[in-house]
Amino acid sequence: MIGIGIIGYGYWGPNLVRNFAETPGSKVVAVSDLRQERLRLAGLRYPGTKLTTVHEELIMDPRVDAVAIATPVSTHFDLAMGALRAGKHVLVEKPLTASSEQAKRLIEESQRRKLVLMVDHTFVYTGAVRKIRELVIQGELGDIYYYDSVRVNLGLFQHDVNVVWDLAVHDLAIMDYVLPERPKAVSAAGISHIPGNPENIAYMTLFFDGNLIGHIHVNWLAPVKLRSTLIGGSRKMILYDDLEPSEKVKVYDKGVMVDMNGESIYQMLIGYRTGDMWAPRLDHTEALRTEATHFVECVEESKRPITDGEAGLRVVRVLESATESMKVKGRLIEL
Amino acid sequence: MIGIGIIGYGYWGPNLVRNFAETPGSKVVAVSDLRQERLRLAGLRYPGTKLTTVHEELIMDPRVDAVAIATPVSTHFDLAMGALRAGKHVLVEKPLTASSEQAKRLIEESQRRKLVLMVDHTFVYTGAVRKIRELVIQGELGDIYYYDSVRVNLGLFQHDVNVVWDLAVHDLAIMDYVLPERPKAVSAAGISHIPGNPENIAYMTLFFDGNLIGHIHVNWLAPVKLRSTLIGGSRKMILYDDLEPSEKVKVYDKGVMVDMNGESIYQMLIGYRTGDMWAPRLDHTEALRTEATHFVECVEESKRPITDGEAGLRVVRVLESATESMKVKGRLIEL
Amino acid sequence: MIGIGIIGYGYWGPNLVRNFAETPGSKVVAVSDLRQERLRLAGLRYPGTKLTTVHEELIMDPRVDAVAIATPVSTHFDLAMGALRAGKHVLVEKPLTASSEQAKRLIEESQRRKLVLMVDHTFVYTGAVRKIRELVIQGELGDIYYYDSVRVNLGLFQHDVNVVWDLAVHDLAIMDYVLPERPKAVSAAGISHIPGNPENIAYMTLFFDGNLIGHIHVNWLAPVKLRSTLIGGSRKMILYDDLEPSEKVKVYDKGVMVDMNGESIYQMLIGYRTGDMWAPRLDHTEALRTEATHFVECVEESKRPITDGEAGLRVVRVLESATESMKVKGRLIEL
Amino acid sequence: MIGIGIIGYGYWGPNLVRNFAETPGSKVVAVSDLRQERLRLAGLRYPGTKLTTVHEELIMDPRVDAVAIATPVSTHFDLAMGALRAGKHVLVEKPLTASSEQAKRLIEESQRRKLVLMVDHTFVYTGAVRKIRELVIQGELGDIYYYDSVRVNLGLFQHDVNVVWDLAVHDLAIMDYVLPERPKAVSAAGISHIPGNPENIAYMTLFFDGNLIGHIHVNWLAPVKLRSTLIGGSRKMILYDDLEPSEKVKVYDKGVMVDMNGESIYQMLIGYRTGDMWAPRLDHTEALRTEATHFVECVEESKRPITDGEAGLRVVRVLESATESMKVKGRLIEL
């Protein structure tokens, strides 16, 4: 039975507590938050849990085997490093850290101490994204041509991070999981419409070797909520709409057929193939439940998590470079 | 009564013929096409029309006051210049020319001869786009913050122009008409998935002075058809979906309210406003009918068309620069 | 080569002329209409066709082997009977006749003379409906539990027939084709909102032997256009939305599983099955082309059409009974 | 401060407890349920609340001023009558009772004792339904022509009541609140697809005096979830889609214009009007919060609730008659 301590009981922390409380193999030992009223709430729901405003107390508690961190990103590094140094396994909310330098140091520390370092890329554990990865791996899509995502809605404006760190992080985490290649360069353009605030709308293009291109549109100032991803392949194509109540993943047997038997390029014939559409049944287990179970398993069996520190680092590196690129009107940054 | 000659009776030409035939004030005098079978078809539908495979015959016909050109873009310049030199008014299918240099020369020629030069930016004449411009001009949206368009579907791949010249031309024409400012620079990224063919997917970012950003996503290789534009303003926002059968333009009374009365930026409060949504009734007149009527009026009254040569030039200049930018992975090109 | 004469060149007639003109095996010999300006239009498009305001001339023309009738329903019987008596095969627009008595007499006449009598139940020839029938016949759906259709929009109000004869006729024709059973009784409720006009909104329930129920909602006074059918079966269920641009037929692998192994009814367990959704590729051939080809084949090979006189009669009988039922607030009428 | 006792802590009870616990003016004093494990859950969340498996103890508790009942419908009458006789105000989950006779007796008892009797017609307290009523009352729709509702999805099959009592009750409650007239007769058709179980699909037609017709389609065995209502009026029409995340109520300025100035009915001209569509901003307060506040106010000020016993009775009477009508294939039952 793994004892879990959760730091941060704001928006996301209660979900972590609930899931670790209900996952076989783990139990919630302690919760810390700077705000007394949040701790009181935690106490009402989970009587018997240690509650503290001092996170060091949680980290040092010998019953705590692993620490889950759900605090603002600027505090991730210090908290995670403190936990690792105390010999605790760590799960950190996305994005892993505020810089790639910090992420590297956490990875090194966790490796040195043979501790699990996992980043909470929640979408990776949804039934929809796992199904998409399965289809990609099985070759159902053929060669992947593009990955295009739109993630927009009205609010919430954040003061400390731009829209890329808040929203595009989800898309980058999904791409990191489902695509067969890693981006080699990034270009991003964004703008802030509220003086003194970070960018609230951004467009990011990801360049890969070969035939693949990636693009992410994020916007805090849109009149409608959209969560829509197109993935094009040489054999099939996917429309993944996270707002669809049931058919989130649609697989289209559509494509282009090129007949190259002409003598010159001008005799090349392009035909279109339009076949069935298919929406596979998805596992509806709560993503965080699947993720908590995976974390517990990694701790117990000293396994490397799917969303390990390296995955967290790769995502942070793109966020960092995109932010840099936005400052210079989309200049290409090599990754 | 203005006599019209139409060059090119392929996909778009029949629409031009039909509309000029039915517009009061104009009549179709002649049609030319290189293909006899196309001319035969024109003859069946419009008996009494002069039919010729030699476009010079059409241009020189004294009954022809104005020439409408619906041929591949590479031929626009020569045909339009020939018509202008023969003293004819000219309407050219979009994009106006294959280069901004050509567009400038057509403008000069038309000005010297005091002839009407108009480009067929059809969307500008739809009820939807005219309503959007009206709302922008009246200040309903407040300051414009962004213009974001997605125009994707499967096929048709073109051999001679890339997807930007084929699809983004529509968005650029609409932006040129509805936005209060002109783009100052462009960055574009694209890729070709069929060897030897031009780019079939592209992302274009448009930079303006001040607070406005523009973005266009075009794709010939998408599993679904999308024609969706978001326009954000400080007061209201628009979702323009051209595939909606009736409510194509939705106006959202949504936005962000900033309360700056704090002493420092950290005390600034951001609130969200969510009000009514409203889909105004749109004029359903066929766009090309409105456009043909406008062309006839410009010819008769020596007026400057809404989509004049300058509008055509501005759009071609962006297309040209975007194509250049795509060759160098999105490098910023000043306009 | 079958010579076709078309009576009625209003809304639907031109579609018949175009399709028979382009279908191999048939040619359009003559067109009749009471209105000279409609005939002029027909002549412009199809020079060489005999044009007449006197339908008897068309029927008696020896080059006419078969007559297609696209006139108001009140005239169907006289025109069709006249054609049959002149030894011509007949295709009649839906509904076949204004009464079941008339339909029976046409069937008898055609059988006596060994002539083809076919009713233009156009939807039966669409790719969507043919696919649905295929799925039903193959047992994909299991036992059919219900057929529910909604067909509503604003306008066009008709003066001579109620909304059931105008719109529900489509659903009845489709049900007649795809369902394994025939309705045994009908109940309908409707109302007219414009004094002196027939019912503009109606609800019709169809009773079958066994487990199946049918229902049709038609309305000329709805704010939105809907063309949506649910077909429930013991194994799978269909959503057929004719307004979907591409995925018109969606097959859901959903259902109820009953475990009867309890000792009493109260121990019966009901489980739910939710599997994949699948939208099969559909044949996009124009329905009327498929239908014209079928008619020509039936004439040439003396075959019985899919939508023969009997199918027309069955549909008219339900329309007749539903109209009767509406007069007495939904009283059940046996068929 | 009104002391509330809640009987039944199953699916709906916890929502009642939470809302009365958080509504100013009321506090939750006691909760009863037959199942110990449900009481334990209630105790964890609301320490200090009296918990009992014996509902009489709750009813008799002098701190309990009002009783809220969220148990199966077959138990509503006895529990509510017991509470009224003990001098307590009562809120009963919908439907009020299992028969109109029972409803009448509860009304009499509550009137005799001057106690509040309210039925939990939750939808009546949603922002959407309150806005619709407001539009109807203000005459925005003109004369109401029809009310058409579809409420279908897969599951949950119930053993004790048919689909009408489970789902149509919502529509009847809404109609009772928003329509200017009461139904005079009802006809319903339904079928059971699982032997020994009540009807799982049903169609109900409601007849009114004058121009209005109502219709409800409910189905436990549909492949998709639909919650869609059309309300047609002489001036405007509404589409109310409860599954829309934000624009649940759309008001269409569409309609028919009749020009009666002809000399006979045949010269009557029908025109169509298509204007703007408008989706008003809705109050997003949780319906049950609004309802709890209203109940407390009615108790404190001895006011008659919007959804009083009479409203509950009217709905039960239609449910009862519809169930009777289904047994005889839709025979019309006067109300």
Side-chain angles (χ1 to χ4, degrees):
Chain A
M1 182 66 67
I2 309 294
I4 310 274
I6 285 99
I7 305 181
Y9 198 75
Y11 168 68
W12 194 239
N15 293 325
L16 288 167
V17 173
R18 175 171 50 80
N19 276 285
F20 279 114
E22 298 175 0
T23 295
S26 67
K27 66 174 177 219
V28 174
V29 170
V31 171
S32 90
D33 197 289
L34 299 175
R35 298 158 294 184
Q36 277 292 0
E37 77 276 14
R38 297 302 301 171
L39 291 180
R40 189 153 24 88
L41 207 61
L44 274 173
R45 292 210 187 142
Y46 303 94
T49 308
K50 172 180 186 160
L51 305 172
T52 173
T53 57
V54 185
H55 62 79
E56 288 88 350
E57 280 184 21
L58 178 146
I59 288 174
M60 292 309 161
D61 190 312
R63 295 169 307 157
V64 168
D65 302 304
V67 174
I69 297 167
T71 58
V73 62
S74 58
T75 66
H76 285 186
F77 175 73
D78 285 346
L79 293 170
M81 186 56 91
L84 289 170
R85 284 181 179 156
K88 311 298 165 106
H89 304 281
V90 173
L91 170 65
V92 187
E93 203 190 347
K94 57 87 203 162
L96 178 57
T97 53
S99 73
S100 55
E101 183 53 35
Q102 292 178 343
K104 279 183 215 157
R105 288 177 56 196
L106 290 185
I107 293 170
E108 286 163 16
E109 192 70 27
S110 70
Q111 287 174 341
R112 184 159 42 232
R113 295 179 182 270
K114 299 197 188 311
L115 293 167
V116 170
L117 172 64
M118 177 161 149
V119 59
D120 177 8
H121 287 170
T122 321
F123 273 100
V124 162
Y125 299 93
T126 58
V129 172
R130 286 183 292 141
K131 174 59 73 177
I132 291 170
R133 177 171 154 97
E134 189 186 311
L135 293 167
V136 169
I137 297 252
Q138 291 169 344
E140 278 287 306
L141 304 196
D143 297 331
I144 309 298
Y145 283 168
Y146 61 85
Y147 184 103
D148 177 274
S149 183
V150 176
R151 188 176 297 270
V152 309
N153 55 278
L154 185 64
L156 307 176
F157 275 68
Q158 304 209 357
H159 292 281
D160 50 345
V161 296
N162 63 38
V163 69
V164 162
W165 285 78
D166 179 45
L167 294 182
V169 62
H170 292 301
D171 300 296
L172 293 170
I174 299 171
M175 291 169 85
D176 188 76
Y177 182 57
V178 306
L179 292 183
E181 292 177 61
R182 308 288 181 211
K184 294 298 186 294
V186 63
S187 159
I191 196 166
S192 164
H193 291 105
I194 299 186
N197 265 49
E199 290 87 349
N200 53 265
I201 173 168
Y203 298 98
M204 188 194 302
T205 307
L206 292 152
F207 297 86
F208 294 76
D209 287 342
N211 249 343
L212 176 56
I213 191 167
H215 192 270
I216 301 170
H217 169 203
V218 282
N219 188 342
W220 280 333
L221 195 62
V224 288
K225 184 175 183 178
L226 301 174
R227 297 281 182 270
S228 178
T229 301
L230 291 172
I231 309 174
S234 57
R235 293 188 60 229
K236 288 188 182 162
M237 298 194 254
I238 284 175
L239 171 58
Y240 161 38
D241 186 343
D242 199 50
L243 302 184
E244 275 279 323
S246 46
E247 288 101 42
K248 287 184 195 298
V249 177
K250 290 181 179 150
V251 185
Y252 293 84
D253 184 17
K254 288 188 176 179
V256 166
M257 295 168 300
V258 182
D259 182 351
M260 300 291 281
N261 67 0
E263 281 160 43
S264 78
I265 197 71
Y266 298 104
Q267 292 170 297
M268 181 180 68
L269 291 172
I270 296 181
Y272 302 95
R273 184 171 40 77
T274 304
D276 295 357
M277 183 268 271
W278 166 66
R281 197 183 68 81
L282 303 175
D283 181 356
H284 288 295
T285 310
E286 185 182 354
L288 202 46
R289 180 61 50 90
T290 305
E291 185 179 337
T293 306
H294 180 60
F295 180 68
V296 168
E297 191 184 297
C298 288
V299 168
E300 281 175 340
E301 308 175 15
S302 297
K303 282 172 45 176
R304 189 191 185 100
I306 294 170
T307 52
D308 61 2
E310 297 285 354
L313 168 60
R314 287 191 298 269
V315 167
V316 168
R317 196 180 280 135
V318 178
L319 293 172
E320 213 171 39
S321 302
T323 300
E324 186 187 339
S325 177
M326 282 200 289
K327 291 200 172 56
V328 284
K329 287 194 169 180
R331 188 189 304 150
L332 194 74
I333 312 281
E334 304 285 334
L335 291 167
Chain B
M1 183 65 67
I2 310 293
I4 309 275
I6 284 100
I7 305 180
Y9 198 74
Y11 168 68
W12 194 240
N15 292 326
L16 288 168
V17 173
R18 175 171 51 80
N19 276 287
F20 278 114
E22 298 175 0
T23 295
S26 68
K27 66 174 177 218
V28 174
V29 171
V31 171
S32 90
D33 196 288
L34 298 175
R35 298 157 294 183
Q36 277 292 358
E37 79 276 16
R38 297 301 302 171
L39 291 178
R40 191 153 22 88
L41 207 61
L44 274 173
R45 292 209 188 142
Y46 301 95
T49 308
K50 172 180 187 160
L51 304 172
T52 172
T53 56
V54 186
H55 62 80
E56 289 87 349
E57 280 184 22
L58 178 146
I59 287 174
M60 294 308 162
D61 191 313
R63 296 169 307 157
V64 168
D65 303 303
V67 173
I69 297 167
T71 58
V73 63
S74 57
T75 66
H76 285 185
F77 175 74
D78 285 346
L79 293 171
M81 187 55 91
L84 289 171
R85 285 180 179 156
K88 310 299 165 102
H89 303 283
V90 172
L91 171 65
V92 187
E93 203 189 347
K94 56 85 207 163
L96 178 58
T97 52
S99 74
S100 55
E101 184 54 34
Q102 291 177 342
K104 279 184 216 157
R105 288 177 56 196
L106 289 185
I107 292 169
E108 285 163 16
E109 192 71 27
S110 70
Q111 286 174 341
R112 181 159 44 235
R113 293 176 182 271
K114 298 197 189 312
L115 292 168
V116 170
L117 172 63
M118 178 162 148
V119 60
D120 177 7
H121 287 170
T122 321
F123 273 99
V124 162
Y125 298 94
T126 59
V129 172
R130 286 184 292 141
K131 174 59 73 177
I132 292 171
R133 176 171 155 97
E134 189 186 311
L135 293 167
V136 169
I137 297 253
Q138 291 169 344
E140 279 285 307
L141 304 196
D143 297 331
I144 309 297
Y145 283 168
Y146 61 84
Y147 185 104
D148 177 275
S149 183
V150 176
R151 190 176 295 272
V152 310
N153 55 278
L154 185 64
L156 308 172
F157 275 68
Q158 303 209 358
H159 292 282
D160 50 345
V161 296
N162 63 37
V163 69
V164 162
W165 285 79
D166 179 45
L167 294 182
V169 61
H170 293 300
D171 300 295
L172 293 170
I174 297 170
M175 292 169 85
D176 188 75
Y177 181 57
V178 305
L179 293 183
E181 293 176 60
R182 308 289 182 210
K184 295 298 186 296
V186 63
S187 160
I191 196 166
S192 164
H193 291 104
I194 299 184
N197 264 50
E199 291 86 351
N200 52 264
I201 173 168
Y203 298 98
M204 188 193 302
T205 307
L206 292 152
F207 297 86
F208 294 77
D209 287 341
N211 250 343
L212 176 55
I213 192 167
H215 192 269
I216 301 169
H217 169 203
V218 282
N219 189 342
W220 280 333
L221 195 63
V224 288
K225 184 174 183 177
L226 301 174
R227 296 281 182 271
S228 178
T229 301
L230 291 172
I231 309 174
S234 57
R235 293 188 60 227
K236 289 187 182 163
M237 299 194 254
I238 284 176
L239 171 57
Y240 160 39
D241 185 343
D242 199 50
L243 302 184
E244 274 279 322
S246 44
E247 289 101 41
K248 287 184 194 297
V249 176
K250 288 181 181 149
V251 185
Y252 292 84
D253 185 17
K254 287 189 178 179
V256 166
M257 293 167 302
V258 182
D259 182 351
M260 300 290 279
N261 67 1
E263 280 159 45
S264 77
I265 197 73
Y266 297 103
Q267 292 169 294
M268 181 178 70
L269 292 171
I270 295 181
Y272 303 94
R273 185 171 40 75
T274 304
D276 295 356
M277 184 269 271
W278 166 65
R281 196 183 68 81
L282 303 175
D283 180 356
H284 288 295
T285 310
E286 184 181 354
L288 202 46
R289 179 62 51 90
T290 305
E291 184 179 337
T293 305
H294 180 59
F295 180 67
V296 167
E297 192 184 296
C298 289
V299 168
E300 281 175 340
E301 307 175 15
S302 297
K303 281 172 47 177
R304 189 189 184 102
I306 294 170
T307 51
D308 60 2
E310 297 286 351
L313 167 59
R314 287 191 298 269
V315 167
V316 167
R317 196 180 281 136
V318 179
L319 294 172
E320 214 172 39
S321 301
T323 301
E324 188 186 338
S325 177
M326 282 201 288
K327 291 200 171 57
V328 284
K329 288 195 168 178
R331 188 190 303 150
L332 195 74
I333 312 282
E334 303 285 335
L335 290 167
Chain C
M1 182 66 67
I2 309 293
I4 310 274
I6 284 100
I7 305 180
Y9 198 76
Y11 168 68
W12 195 240
N15 293 326
L16 288 168
V17 173
R18 175 171 51 80
N19 275 285
F20 280 113
E22 298 175 1
T23 295
S26 69
K27 69 174 175 217
V28 174
V29 171
V31 171
S32 90
D33 197 288
L34 298 175
R35 299 158 294 184
Q36 278 292 359
E37 78 277 15
R38 297 301 303 171
L39 290 179
R40 191 154 23 88
L41 207 62
L44 275 172
R45 292 209 187 143
Y46 302 92
T49 308
K50 171 181 187 159
L51 305 172
T52 173
T53 56
V54 184
H55 62 78
E56 288 88 349
E57 280 185 20
L58 178 145
I59 287 174
M60 293 308 160
D61 190 313
R63 295 168 308 158
V64 168
D65 302 302
V67 174
I69 298 167
T71 58
V73 63
S74 58
T75 66
H76 285 186
F77 175 74
D78 284 346
L79 293 170
M81 187 56 89
L84 289 170
R85 285 181 178 156
K88 310 299 164 102
H89 304 281
V90 172
L91 171 65
V92 187
E93 203 190 347
K94 58 84 204 162
L96 178 57
T97 52
S99 74
S100 55
E101 183 53 35
Q102 291 177 343
K104 280 182 214 158
R105 289 177 55 196
L106 290 185
I107 292 169
E108 286 162 17
E109 191 70 28
S110 71
Q111 287 174 341
R112 183 160 44 237
R113 294 178 182 269
K114 299 197 188 311
L115 292 168
V116 171
L117 172 64
M118 177 161 149
V119 59
D120 176 8
H121 287 170
T122 321
F123 272 99
V124 162
Y125 298 94
T126 59
V129 172
R130 286 184 291 142
K131 174 58 74 177
I132 291 170
R133 178 173 153 96
E134 190 185 312
L135 293 167
V136 169
I137 297 253
Q138 291 169 346
E140 279 286 308
L141 305 196
D143 296 332
I144 309 298
Y145 283 168
Y146 61 84
Y147 184 104
D148 177 275
S149 182
V150 176
R151 189 176 297 271
V152 309
N153 55 278
L154 186 64
L156 307 176
F157 275 69
Q158 303 208 358
H159 293 282
D160 49 345
V161 294
N162 64 37
V163 67
V164 162
W165 285 79
D166 180 45
L167 294 182
V169 62
H170 293 301
D171 300 294
L172 293 170
I174 298 171
M175 291 169 86
D176 188 75
Y177 182 57
V178 306
L179 292 183
E181 292 176 60
R182 309 289 181 211
K184 294 299 186 293
V186 63
S187 159
I191 196 166
S192 164
H193 291 106
I194 299 185
N197 265 50
E199 291 87 351
N200 53 263
I201 172 168
Y203 299 97
M204 189 194 300
T205 307
L206 293 151
F207 297 85
F208 294 76
D209 286 342
N211 249 344
L212 175 57
I213 191 167
H215 192 270
I216 301 170
H217 169 203
V218 283
N219 189 342
W220 280 333
L221 195 61
V224 288
K225 185 175 183 177
L226 300 174
R227 295 282 181 271
S228 178
T229 301
L230 291 172
I231 309 174
S234 57
R235 294 188 59 228
K236 289 186 181 163
M237 298 194 254
I238 283 176
L239 171 58
Y240 160 39
D241 186 343
D242 199 50
L243 301 184
E244 275 280 321
S246 45
E247 288 101 42
K248 286 184 195 299
V249 177
K250 290 181 179 149
V251 186
Y252 292 84
D253 185 16
K254 288 188 177 179
V256 166
M257 294 168 303
V258 182
D259 183 352
M260 300 290 280
N261 67 0
E263 280 159 44
S264 78
I265 197 73
Y266 298 103
Q267 292 170 297
M268 182 179 70
L269 292 172
I270 295 181
Y272 301 95
R273 184 170 40 75
T274 304
D276 295 357
M277 184 269 271
W278 165 66
R281 197 182 69 79
L282 303 176
D283 180 356
H284 288 295
T285 310
E286 185 182 354
L288 203 44
R289 179 63 48 90
T290 304
E291 185 179 337
T293 306
H294 180 61
F295 180 67
V296 167
E297 192 184 296
C298 289
V299 168
E300 281 175 340
E301 307 175 15
S302 297
K303 282 172 45 176
R304 189 190 185 101
I306 294 170
T307 52
D308 60 2
E310 297 285 354
L313 167 61
R314 286 191 299 267
V315 167
V316 167
R317 196 181 281 136
V318 178
L319 294 171
E320 213 172 40
S321 301
T323 300
E324 187 188 339
S325 177
M326 283 200 286
K327 289 199 172 57
V328 284
K329 287 194 169 178
R331 189 188 304 149
L332 195 74
I333 311 282
E334 304 285 333
L335 291 167
Chain D
M1 182 66 67
I2 310 293
I4 310 274
I6 285 100
I7 305 180
Y9 198 75
Y11 168 68
W12 194 239
N15 293 325
L16 288 168
V17 174
R18 175 171 51 80
N19 276 285
F20 279 114
E22 299 175 0
T23 295
S26 68
K27 67 173 176 222
V28 174
V29 171
V31 171
S32 90
D33 197 289
L34 299 175
R35 297 158 294 184
Q36 277 292 0
E37 77 275 16
R38 296 302 302 171
L39 290 179
R40 191 153 22 87
L41 207 62
L44 275 172
R45 291 210 187 142
Y46 302 93
T49 308
K50 171 180 186 161
L51 305 172
T52 173
T53 56
V54 184
H55 62 79
E56 287 88 349
E57 281 184 22
L58 179 146
I59 288 174
M60 293 308 161
D61 191 312
R63 296 170 306 157
V64 168
D65 303 303
V67 174
I69 297 167
T71 57
V73 63
S74 57
T75 66
H76 286 185
F77 174 74
D78 285 345
L79 293 170
M81 187 55 91
L84 289 171
R85 286 181 179 157
K88 311 297 164 105
H89 304 282
V90 173
L91 171 65
V92 187
E93 203 189 346
K94 57 85 206 165
L96 179 57
T97 52
S99 74
S100 54
E101 183 54 35
Q102 292 177 342
K104 277 183 218 159
R105 289 177 55 196
L106 290 184
I107 292 169
E108 285 163 16
E109 191 71 26
S110 70
Q111 287 174 342
R112 183 160 42 237
R113 294 178 182 271
K114 299 197 188 312
L115 293 167
V116 171
L117 172 63
M118 178 161 147
V119 60
D120 177 8
H121 287 170
T122 321
F123 272 100
V124 162
Y125 299 94
T126 59
V129 172
R130 286 184 292 142
K131 174 60 74 178
I132 291 170
R133 177 170 153 98
E134 189 186 312
L135 293 167
V136 169
I137 297 254
Q138 291 170 344
E140 279 286 307
L141 304 196
D143 297 331
I144 309 298
Y145 283 167
Y146 61 84
Y147 184 103
D148 177 276
S149 182
V150 177
R151 189 175 297 270
V152 309
N153 54 277
L154 185 63
L156 307 174
F157 275 67
Q158 304 209 359
H159 292 282
D160 50 346
V161 295
N162 63 38
V163 69
V164 162
W165 285 78
D166 179 46
L167 294 182
V169 62
H170 293 301
D171 300 296
L172 292 170
I174 298 171
M175 292 170 85
D176 188 75
Y177 181 58
V178 306
L179 292 183
E181 293 177 61
R182 309 290 181 208
K184 294 299 185 295
V186 62
S187 160
I191 196 166
S192 165
H193 291 104
I194 300 186
N197 264 49
E199 291 86 350
N200 52 265
I201 172 167
Y203 299 97
M204 188 194 301
T205 307
L206 292 151
F207 297 86
F208 295 76
D209 286 341
N211 249 343
L212 175 56
I213 192 168
H215 192 270
I216 301 171
H217 169 203
V218 283
N219 189 341
W220 281 332
L221 196 61
V224 289
K225 184 176 182 177
L226 300 175
R227 295 282 180 272
S228 178
T229 301
L230 291 173
I231 308 174
S234 58
R235 293 187 60 227
K236 290 188 181 162
M237 298 193 254
I238 284 176
L239 171 58
Y240 161 38
D241 185 343
D242 199 51
L243 302 183
E244 275 279 322
S246 45
E247 288 101 42
K248 287 185 195 298
V249 177
K250 289 180 180 151
V251 186
Y252 292 84
D253 185 17
K254 288 188 178 180
V256 166
M257 293 168 300
V258 182
D259 183 351
M260 300 290 281
N261 66 0
E263 280 158 45
S264 77
I265 198 71
Y266 298 104
Q267 292 169 297
M268 183 179 67
L269 291 172
I270 295 180
Y272 303 95
R273 185 171 39 76
T274 305
D276 295 357
M277 183 269 271
W278 166 66
R281 195 182 69 79
L282 301 176
D283 181 357
H284 288 295
T285 309
E286 186 182 355
L288 202 45
R289 179 63 49 91
T290 304
E291 185 179 337
T293 306
H294 179 60
F295 180 67
V296 168
E297 191 183 297
C298 288
V299 168
E300 281 175 340
E301 307 175 14
S302 297
K303 282 172 46 177
R304 189 191 184 100
I306 294 171
T307 52
D308 60 2
E310 296 286 353
L313 167 60
R314 287 191 298 269
V315 167
V316 167
R317 197 180 280 135
V318 178
L319 294 171
E320 213 172 39
S321 301
T323 300
E324 187 187 339
S325 177
M326 283 200 288
K327 292 200 170 57
V328 284
K329 288 197 169 177
R331 188 190 304 149
L332 194 74
I333 312 281
E334 303 285 334
L335 291 168

